[in-house]
């Protein structure tokens, strides 16, 4: 679904939004920085003006008294310039880094609240690039742009004032040629925005490819696909090289323009000014003061010419950042949502239909994953979902915590429509253990306590024991303080699964959602965990998915799904007696009862 509020990409609109949302809060510090930029600019202009008494009073008039006075003035001028530059640079760095930090926090706060569909439709590397590349280029544009327009523009104004005071005719000659460069420099800025946006997109893909290759390195090696992955990365690296080189070449275009215009200006001034000195129309000190001001003005003038390219690069990052911030949440909490009251925990799906939307989906109703599904999980009972892959079992598990929104029908908990309650109270009422185990690069203790950070160490250990995890945890190098590595890479699949089960047990919610919760366990661990789960299920509502029928023979009710519809329901024995699809699954996969 496309955003109903497309981001405006014009420079004035983006600059206005940058000011409102990022810069205005630091107006005080920026004003203080501008004051010191002004002092620095004044010191720069004064150093050029002092060239006149240096030449006339010291080198021509040979005035000994002026020597010390002018020398002290020059020392004071450069000291003022250095101190002012340090203070303004520190203030601008502070503002820039605060903007990055706050924008990163804001981005994460917004993105973490978006629905799962957003993350499924956007590669991780692309999302990461918003936090790093885009925000950083935006910060550079803000700080560099303000610094250039503050320090360099004020310096230029001061130096131009010195030039007009010393010789207004030479000043007009010197600056007659520079307006000629405005049009090509503006075109360079527009080209930089386009190149930068394309580069940022490619950087996102590059991060994604690297992440996939590193996370899937076992698969890459086992299938001998190293050369293929090297080729993919090399192709993207070449694309990035070409885009970065194009950006550098585009940015560098301003240099020959300014160098040529500067050469014309300096040559004209030297020829005409030298002629005036020779003809005694002006004194040498005034001419050298003018030349000094002109040469000092050249560097800030070049930076002002280049600043548009930098700003356009930053606006490209701002554009992509604002696009992410403006991304609407497809599953929003209702205004005035109530706290979920779940004393019993009955879960009910009433005529639910659902399909996964693609990024460009326009709402067609074909290929429904769930089609008019109704089922009930009685309070305190265990209900199992079985069926072939793609039948819709995991989709139902995802709809109960409202990770996705139903297209039709409703999901109820104790006769409360989950769309009418707060996300926090809804998800606090349930614990999920999925076949896709997610462990964080943290200690075993913190991974188990992830849903209950205030849990005592004794509670964590009890949960680990119930999940048949305490023994192997005790054998780890640092026990419960052992770091598990990214995605739990230092643990086996079964160990990771047991930690996830311990996490769910510790949360101690009235509703359990188990999606292949014992799929990665060996037989002995499965027996231990299944026994623990059965004890935990005695007073809780449990919705469980299992391909191994041995894990659900004791379920109070079993629903059989096929192509998004419920085709059978009953207990294990009742379904066997029906001789339908469940019975066929049973014959294909004989159960070993855990009774």
């Amino acid at each position: 679904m496309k955003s109903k509020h497309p981001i405006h990409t014009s420079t004035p609109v983006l600059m206005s939004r940058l000011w409102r949302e990022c810069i205005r809060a630091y107006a005080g510090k920026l004003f203080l920085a501008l004051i010191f930029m002004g002092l620095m600019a004044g010191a720069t202009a004064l150093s050029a003006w002092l060239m006149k008494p240096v030449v006339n009073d010291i080198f021509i008039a040979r005035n000994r008294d002026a020597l010390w006075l002018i020398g002290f003035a020059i020392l004071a001028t450069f000291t003022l310039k250095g101190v002012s530059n340090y203070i303004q640079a520190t203030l601008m760095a502070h503002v820039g880094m605060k903007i990055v930090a706050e924008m990163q926090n804001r981005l994460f706060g917004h993105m973490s609240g978006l629905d799962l569909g957003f993350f499924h439709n956007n590669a991780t590397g692309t999302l990461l690039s918003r936090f790093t590349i885009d925000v950083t280029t935006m910060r550079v544009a803000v700080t560099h742009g303000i610094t250039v327009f503050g320090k360099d523009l004020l310096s230029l104004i001061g130096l131009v004032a010195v030039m007009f005071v010393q010789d207004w005719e030479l000043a007009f000659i010197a600056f007659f040629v520079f307006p000629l460069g405005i049009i090509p420099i503006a075109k360079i800025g527009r080209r930089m925005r386009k190149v930068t946006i394309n580069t940022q997109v490619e950087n996102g893909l590059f991060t994604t490819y690297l992440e996939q290759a590193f996370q899937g390195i076992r698969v890459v090696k086992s299938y001998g696909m190293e050369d293929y992955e090297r080729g993919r990365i090399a192709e993207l690296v070449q694309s990035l090289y070409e885009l970065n080189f194009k950006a550098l070449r585009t940015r560098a275009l301003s240099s020959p323009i300014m160098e040529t215009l500067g050469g014309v200006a300096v040559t004209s001034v030297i020829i005409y000014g030298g002629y005036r000195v020779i003809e005694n129309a002006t004194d040498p000190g005034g001419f050298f003061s003018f030349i000094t001001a002109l040469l000092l003005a050249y560097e800030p003038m070049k930076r002002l010419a280049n600043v548009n390219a930098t700003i356009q690069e930053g606006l490209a990052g701002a554009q992509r950042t604002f696009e992410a911030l403006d991304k609407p949440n497809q599953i929003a909490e209702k205004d005035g949502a109530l706290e979920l009251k779940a004393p019993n925990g009955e879960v009910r799906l009433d005529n639910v239909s659902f399909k996964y939307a693609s990024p460009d989906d326009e709402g067609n109703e074909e290929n429904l994953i769930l089609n008019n599904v109704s089922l009930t999980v009685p309070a305190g009972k265990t209900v199992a979902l079985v069926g072939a892959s793609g039948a819709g079992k995991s989709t139902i598990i995802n709809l109960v915590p409202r990770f996705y929104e139903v297209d039709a029908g409703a999901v109820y908990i104790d006769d409360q429509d989950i769309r009418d309650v707060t996300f926090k109270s809804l998800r606090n009422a349930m614990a999920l253990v999925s076949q896709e185990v997610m462990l964080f690069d943290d200690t075993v203790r913190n991974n188990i306590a992830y849903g209950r950070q205030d849990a005592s160490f004794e509670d964590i250990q009890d949960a680990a024991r119930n999940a048949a995890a305490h023994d192997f945890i005790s054998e780890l190098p640092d026990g419960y303080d052992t770091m598990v590595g990214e995605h739990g890479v230092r643990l086996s699949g079964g160990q990771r699964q047991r930690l996830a089960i311990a996490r769910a047990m510790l949360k101690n919610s009235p509703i359990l959602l188990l999606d292949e919760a014992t799929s990665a366990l060996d037989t002995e661990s499965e027996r231990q965990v299944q026994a623990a789960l059965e004890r935990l299920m005695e007073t809780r509502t449990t919705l469980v998915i299992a391909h191994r029928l041995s894990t659900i023979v004791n379920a109070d009710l079993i629903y059989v799904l096929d192509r998004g519809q419920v085709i059978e329901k009953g207990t294990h024995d009742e379904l066997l007696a029906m001789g339908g699809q469940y019975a066929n699954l049973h014959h294909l996969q004989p159960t070993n009862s855990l009774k």
Side-chain angles (χ1 to χ4, degrees), residues 97-164:
M97 288 186 286
K98 286 292 289 183
I99 287 174
V100 169
E102 291 184 3
M103 189 56 70
Q104 287 173 332
N105 283 331
R106 187 179 167 195
L107 264 177
F108 184 78
H110 178 71
M111 286 187 177
S112 63
L114 294 177
D115 54 284
L116 282 185
F118 170 79
F119 295 96
H120 291 167
N121 292 329
N122 291 273
T124 301
T126 300
L127 298 181
L128 292 177
S129 70
R130 303 294 174 98
F131 290 85
T132 53
I133 300 170
D134 294 345
V135 173
T136 300
T137 56
M138 187 175 71
R139 187 264 303 173
V140 170
V142 170
T143 56
H144 184 70
I146 292 175
T147 300
V148 169
F149 279 114
K151 182 179 69 175
D152 291 331
L153 183 59
L154 290 175
S155 296
L156 185 60
I157 291 172
L159 291 168
V160 170
V162 171
M163 292 164 66
F164 272 94

Side-chain angles (χ1 to χ4, degrees), residues 193-210:
R193 171 106 67 98
K194 293 179 181 178
V195 173
T196 301
I197 289 177
N198 292 333
T199 304
Q200 289 164 335
V201 171
E202 292 293 289
N203 272 314
L205 287 175
F206 184 54
T207 305
T208 298
Y209 281 13
L210 287 176

Side-chain angles (χ1 to χ4, degrees), residues 76-266:
T77 298
F78 277 87
T79 301
L80 175 64
K81 183 178 179 181
V83 172
S84 299
N85 188 41
Y86 169 77
I87 295 174
Q88 69 84 19
T90 303
L91 287 169
M92 292 306 300
H94 168 76
V95 170
M97 288 186 286
K98 286 292 289 183
I99 287 174
V100 169
E102 291 184 3
M103 189 56 70
Q104 287 173 332
N105 283 331
R106 187 179 167 195
L107 264 177
F108 184 78
H110 178 71
M111 286 187 177
S112 63
L114 294 177
D115 54 284
L116 282 185
F118 170 79
F119 295 96
H120 291 167
N121 292 329
N122 291 273
T124 301
T126 300
L127 298 181
L128 292 177
S129 70
R130 303 294 174 98
F131 290 85
T132 53
I133 300 170
D134 294 345
V135 173
T136 300
T137 56
M138 187 175 71
R139 187 264 303 173
V140 170
V142 170
T143 56
H144 184 70
I146 292 175
T147 300
V148 169
F149 279 114
K151 182 179 69 175
D152 291 331
L153 183 59
L154 290 175
S155 296
L156 185 60
I157 291 172
L159 291 168
V160 170
V162 171
M163 292 164 66
F164 272 94
V165 168
Q166 299 297 0
D167 195 321
W168 64 269
E169 291 182 9
L170 282 179
F172 273 119
I173 292 174
F175 288 99
F176 175 76
V177 295
F178 285 107
L180 300 176
I182 293 175
I183 294 176
I185 286 170
K187 289 182 178 179
I188 289 170
R190 288 193 292 271
R191 287 178 63 182
M192 280 302 302
R193 171 106 67 98
K194 293 179 181 178
V195 173
T196 301
I197 289 177
N198 292 333
T199 304
Q200 289 164 335
V201 171
E202 292 293 289
N203 272 314
L205 287 175
F206 184 54
T207 305
T208 298
Y209 281 13
L210 287 176
E211 181 187 33
Q212 291 174 349
F214 292 148
Q215 287 187 358
I217 195 65
R218 292 179 65 190
V219 176
V220 172
K221 289 183 175 297
S222 63
Y223 283 87
M225 294 296 286
E226 291 93 339
D227 289 341
Y228 171 76
E229 293 297 335
R230 291 188 192 109
R232 285 211 309 169
I233 295 298
E235 184 178 341
L236 200 51
V237 167
Q238 178 64 24
S239 177
L240 279 170
Y241 156 75
E242 292 173 359
L243 283 169
N244 283 319
F245 183 68
K246 185 177 181 180
L248 186 147
R249 195 174 58 210
T250 301
R251 176 187 284 276
L253 279 174
S254 63
S255 180
I257 294 173
M258 291 304 299
E259 293 289 350
T260 301
L261 294 176
V264 171
V266 172

